[in-house]
Amino acid sequence: MIQFEKFTLANGLRVIVHQDTSTPMAVMNIMYDVGARDENPERTGFAHLFEHLMFGGSVNIPNYDEPLQMAGGENNAYTTNDLTNYYIQLPAENLETAFWLESDRMLSLAFGEKSLDVQRKVVCEEFKEHYIAKPYGDVWHKMRELAYTRHPYRWMTIGKELSHVENAKLEDVKEFFFKYYRPVNAIMVVAGNVTTEKVKTLAEKWFGDIPAGEKYKRNLPQEPEQREERQLEIKANVPLDALYKCWHIYPRLDRRYYITDLLTDILSGGGSSRLYQSLVKEKQLFSNIECYHYGSTDAGLLCIEGKLVKGVKMEEAERAIEIELDKMKSELVAETELQKVKNKTESMMAFEDMSVMNRANSLAYYELLGDASWMNFELEKYGSVTTEDILQESRNIFRKENSNTLYYYSGN
Amino acid sequence: MIETIKGLDRKVAPAIVDAVNFNLQLKPYKKLTLKNGVDVYTIDAGAEEVMSIEWVFYAGNWYEDQNLVAATTNFLLKNGTRHKSAFQVNEHFEYYGSYLNRACYNETATVSLHCLTKHVGELLPAVRELLTDSAMPEDELAIYQQNMKQRLKVNLKKSEFVAGRLIDVYLYGEQHPYGRYTKEEDFEHLNKQQLFDFYDRYYRQGKFVMFVAGRLPANLEQLLNDNFGDLGNDPILGKKISTQPSSERKFRVINNAEGVQGSVRIARPFPNRHHPDFLKVQVLNSLFGGFFGSRLMSNIREDKGYTYGIHSYLQNHIHESAWMISTEAGKDVCEATISEVYKEMEDLREEPVGDEELLLVRNYMMGSILGDLDGPFQIIARWKNIILNGLDENYFYNSINTIKTISAGELQELAQKYLRPEEFYELVVV
């Protein structure tokens, strides 16, 4: 059970306090309710570029990093399709430094040309490093565009293309900030060696006078149900053929999300998982194979991807995957097999919760989803999944007309 | 609005306690010795009912006579025993939600188990079986060879992978365990008997040490003695192997003519942790390229935007080390990046670091260690590093003391001694 207390400032900023006196450290985690899915389709990559700009100085503090490092702190941030998260860890004695820094950049950024100019370049290098310079680096750009026709999950967090980032203007940056980076769209978790009383005082002092802003009402185009199977072939300068298949699944808050999550663990994720045992070890069609899902807030994708053993035909490899999926659709998995993936989930959560930072991050995420206390019911939800559920959802998900397949051929 | 907000001056930083004043302590381990003389270092701590156990064997590639024998033996440890198939082995560990990993390094090779404490009793006999009865089956070896060759092919397309191999060859020579790298044909030369012989000598009979951390069961010592107290623990003699560094120093390699980025590596040989300069240079390294606020990051990422990240570090080797600068930079700015790296070296040689910047580096390093000592796995990892390098707790306290007291003058002297461009190897792989 993760204990916490929650209060809301007059400007709508939600604050969660999670005390853990076994650590000398404090953590501040601020999650903003904006991600790549909220971007203009003509200006993708913006939420992430913006995350970089958040470190370019704020209205009263020219340099964000230096005072934090001086206080013995470290920080980082990440952007997903759903949200943007900033976190700091520092010695608990210096907690107020985090309040000072984070409140000033929530108040307003410095909006310097130089910072935008440099971070555009940095993000372009990040884009190149991860998505252009790497073999198979373009797969998820292509797959998202194949699987989503309307929902903004059709582009990646880094952006659809380099030019979107290169063309970002300072006025776009300002507009984005005042629309999304307001107290009313943010959740702050303070955790570690802290008291609620002290957090309350500091929160009022530093965040209390920031204008609330307007609550962002998300109204995204919904993805229509897929009715026809989709396929795409790519030929590129890569050494091996690879196969990628995706199926639409459920939103994060749907009960079937938990079923799907366990289902992917049955298929892959360990040396005794089905796809690995059958296709890598027994049939030796793939040199590696994985099954996972996006874990996104809106309905995401379940994916299977693998690289083919040299000489194996694409059709043969795909057929072998289908045989495994047919088994999932026709026979109940064994109770012990289900118990195995439930045990794995239990232990994974215990390991994750060892770190105060992870606990703070999870509390913020569940609060963003609706209620921080849901964090404490996750295990129960996984526990309630039955072998019947797995069978039913395998039938629902692994339908041809729900599938998207990308055949990635080696051009050598 | 409450009273305090009036007159809030946001331009003034709140008072801080300088992290440099913290009294950092490394929680002491409790040591057990098993019946066969195996040393077990334990840290009993943590909020969750989880634990980790690591078995460290002297079975790294330092001890092999042929490339890949150590790594392959380590990999195949859990791919079948005389009584269980690879699938059955995996199923057992996975059923209990545990993670059984293995890793092969230069001097050592390890097996590690992470599990819920309540399951450890069910898991230790299965680990014992791997350490006494692993079978190294032919078909498992064949699958491994095939899949690893494929993986190598993909990796060779990545400039950063190629750069990482080459810079180590220049530093240590291709015959040295730190410089040796894998070619496709090396996989074909492996055979079951070699692996089994290596397994027999370095795992079944060879010396090992254990590191245990987390919420530990009361009967830990009994459990470990029952399962591992009768295993061989014969001393392993390390061969002396000398490095053969390259005489040429500058390299430009084209791996993919259409590449959009270059992998830049700049490195010089550096002594190991026993050298009196090692801890001091850790501070100089932080200042130079060891964290986000470092000179290299501030200049080359935050001012010029040449790269997503640039880092410098001392390689984590037992016998000897190297001081490495590493970045992936835009193809057309690789040479400019290298000039800026040398410019930053020059600044450190010519100008003593200012008080404010030095205090920042000290505070950052102290805060970082404080944060890193949080949790049993982190604490045991520090001890493991100390013990495997033949050091003792003084190393930790000397390191803290060095961070607190090193002067700008000393840092400048070290820069003059070590940050000399003519002593660095320089490589760009596009």
Side-chain angles (χ1 to χ4, degrees), chain A residues 4-114:
Chain A
F4 64 91
E5 288 187 74
K6 190 162 112 180
F7 59 93
T8 307
L9 298 187
N11 58 14
L13 178 68
R14 283 172 278 173
V15 186
I16 292 169
V17 186
H18 165 61
Q19 189 183 48
D20 177 350
T21 53
S22 74
T23 168
M25 307 299 283
V27 164
M28 176 179 281
N29 187 102
I30 300 192
M31 192 172 277
Y32 289 95
D33 188 8
V34 58
R37 63 180 164 163
D38 301 301
E39 291 161 348
N40 177 338
E42 302 308 315
R43 284 183 211 156
T44 64
F46 209 86
H48 169 251
L49 172 65
F50 194 87
E51 173 214 311
H52 280 246
L53 299 174
M54 282 285 278
F55 296 89
S58 55
V59 57
N60 294 297
I61 308 172
N63 186 313
Y64 175 89
D65 286 290
E66 273 180 30
L68 182 64
Q69 287 153 2
M70 193 59 101
E74 290 180 273
N75 73 90
N76 214 331
Y78 60 83
T79 310
T80 73
N81 291 76
D82 296 317
L83 55 89
T84 316
N85 192 50
Y86 299 82
Y87 50 96
I88 289 180
Q89 172 178 285
L90 78 177
E93 287 91 334
N94 294 341
L95 177 63
E96 189 160 4
T97 301
F99 276 88
W100 172 61
L101 289 167
E102 289 299 341
S103 65
D104 200 53
R105 62 179 184 176
M106 194 184 286
L107 185 64
S108 178
L109 291 185
F111 299 115
E113 275 290 356
K114 162 89 180 172

Side-chain angles (χ1 to χ4, degrees), chain B residues 146-161:
Chain B
Q146 166 192 285
N147 294 347
M148 291 304 282
K149 276 194 280 186
Q150 294 214 168
R151 183 194 288 194
L152 179 63
K153 276 200 180 110
V154 175
N155 281 335
L156 286 171
K157 291 278 179 188
K158 301 176 187 164
S159 61
E160 54 186 270
F161 179 81

Side-chain angles (χ1 to χ4, degrees), chain B residues 3 12 26 36 54 70 88 101 137 155 170 173 181 201 204 226 228 241 259 265 337 346 402 419 423:
Chain B
E3 201 61 28
V12 179
L26 182 61
N36 50 356
E54 186 163 28
Q88 288 168 319
N101 293 306
N155 281 335
Y170 309 149
Y181 64 87
R201 171 153 182 213
R204 281 220 292 215
D226 288 352
F228 310 104
I241 309 176
R265 302 289 182 274
T337 298
E346 190 187 338
T402 305
L419 292 179
E423 291 173 3

Side-chain angles (χ1 to χ4, degrees), chain A residues 57-315:
Chain A
S58 55
V59 57
N60 294 297
I61 308 172
N63 186 313
Y64 175 89
D65 286 290
E66 273 180 30
L68 182 64
Q69 287 153 2
M70 193 59 101
E74 290 180 273
N75 73 90
N76 214 331
Y78 60 83
T79 310
T80 73
N81 291 76
D82 296 317
L83 55 89
T84 316
N85 192 50
Y86 299 82
Y87 50 96
I88 289 180
Q89 172 178 285
L90 78 177
E93 287 91 334
N94 294 341
L95 177 63
E96 189 160 4
T97 301
F99 276 88
W100 172 61
L101 289 167
E102 289 299 341
S103 65
D104 200 53
R105 62 179 184 176
M106 194 184 286
L107 185 64
S108 178
L109 291 185
F111 299 115
E113 275 290 356
K114 162 89 180 172
S115 167
L116 175 59
D117 192 42
V118 169
Q119 293 309 320
R120 267 195 304 240
K121 288 192 211 160
V122 170
V123 171
C124 285
E125 292 306 323
E126 186 181 359
F127 195 121
K128 291 183 204 164
E129 189 174 327
H130 294 138
Y131 305 101
I132 299 179
K134 291 224 160 75
Y136 312 95
D138 59 349
V139 161
W140 295 106
H141 285 276
K142 303 244 154 80
M143 181 56 105
R144 280 176 180 272
E145 284 182 2
L146 185 69
Y148 289 103
T149 57
R150 296 200 58 209
H151 192 282
Y153 283 167
R154 71 182 189 276
W155 58 83
M156 299 189 70
T157 309
I158 193 78
K160 221 186 285 188
E161 47 193 282
L162 275 173
S163 69
H164 285 190
V165 173
E166 282 163 351
N167 297 332
K169 304 265 183 317
L170 206 52
E171 61 252 41
D172 305 333
V173 175
K174 282 187 188 164
E175 192 192 303
F176 194 89
F177 179 79
F178 289 107
K179 181 166 179 192
Y180 300 109
Y181 277 69
R182 299 289 79 208
V184 72
N185 296 318
I187 292 159
M188 172 161 78
V189 179
V190 185
N193 208 331
V194 301
T195 63
T196 305
E197 200 188 350
K198 182 164 183 204
V199 172
K200 263 192 181 148
T201 310
L202 290 174
E204 284 292 352
K205 175 176 172 186
W206 292 102
F207 287 87
D209 64 348
I210 302 175
E214 216 171 294
K215 179 88 184 161
Y216 166 55
K217 292 226 166 32
R218 182 170 282 113
N219 184 18
L220 302 177
Q222 289 308 296
E223 186 63 23
E225 193 187 335
Q226 185 178 336
R227 296 181 189 284
E228 240 179 3
E229 87 170 300
R230 297 180 196 141
Q231 293 169 324
L232 182 68
E233 285 189 18
I234 296 178
K235 203 170 182 124
N237 180 19
V238 293
L240 307 167
D241 290 348
L243 177 59
Y244 300 83
K245 290 180 84 73
C246 284
W247 296 263
H248 291 275
I249 52 170
Y250 309 103
R252 184 63 182 78
L253 291 178
D254 193 303
R255 179 179 176 268
R256 294 169 296 179
Y257 174 92
Y258 299 88
I259 306 171
T260 313
D261 196 28
L262 292 177
L263 200 162
T264 60
D265 279 336
I266 288 172
L267 285 171
S268 132
S272 69
S273 61
R274 288 191 175 201
L275 293 179
Y276 182 77
Q277 176 61 17
S278 163
L279 306 183
V280 176
K281 299 300 283 292
E282 288 169 11
K283 295 183 181 161
Q284 296 172 32
L285 299 172
F286 288 88
S287 58
N288 69 299
I289 192 154
E290 288 171 72
C291 173
Y292 54 93
H293 65 88
Y294 278 14
S296 52
T297 305
D298 294 334
L301 298 172
L302 182 154
C303 314
I304 294 179
E305 65 162 280
K307 297 202 170 63
L308 277 61
V309 167
K310 204 93 187 165
V312 170
K313 290 262 172 300
M314 194 68 91
E315 304 73 53

Side-chain angles (χ1 to χ4, degrees), chain B residues 146-200:
Chain B
Q146 166 192 285
N147 294 347
M148 291 304 282
K149 276 194 280 186
Q150 294 214 168
R151 183 194 288 194
L152 179 63
K153 276 200 180 110
V154 175
N155 281 335
L156 286 171
K157 291 278 179 188
K158 301 176 187 164
S159 61
E160 54 186 270
F161 179 81
V162 173
R165 288 157 56 115
L166 290 176
I167 194 75
D168 284 344
V169 173
Y170 309 149
L171 284 164
Y172 304 108
E174 219 182 310
Q175 302 308 317
H176 192 276
Y178 297 169
R180 198 183 299 154
Y181 64 87
T182 305
K183 299 177 206 68
E184 202 174 322
E185 59 266 30
D186 294 335
F187 287 106
E188 279 145 31
H189 296 150
L190 294 168
N191 70 61
K192 181 188 158 134
Q193 193 55 47
Q194 283 169 315
L195 302 179
F196 200 82
D197 291 346
F198 193 86
Y199 168 66
D200 190 51

Side-chain angles (χ1 to χ4, degrees), chain A residues 70 206 271-272 310 343 347, chain B residues 10 17 94-95 97 150 303 363:
Chain A
M70 193 59 101
W206 292 102
S272 69
K310 204 93 187 165
N343 290 347
S347 111
Chain B
R10 290 185 174 273
V17 181
E94 288 168 14
Y95 180 78
Q150 294 214 168
D303 187 59
N363 279 342

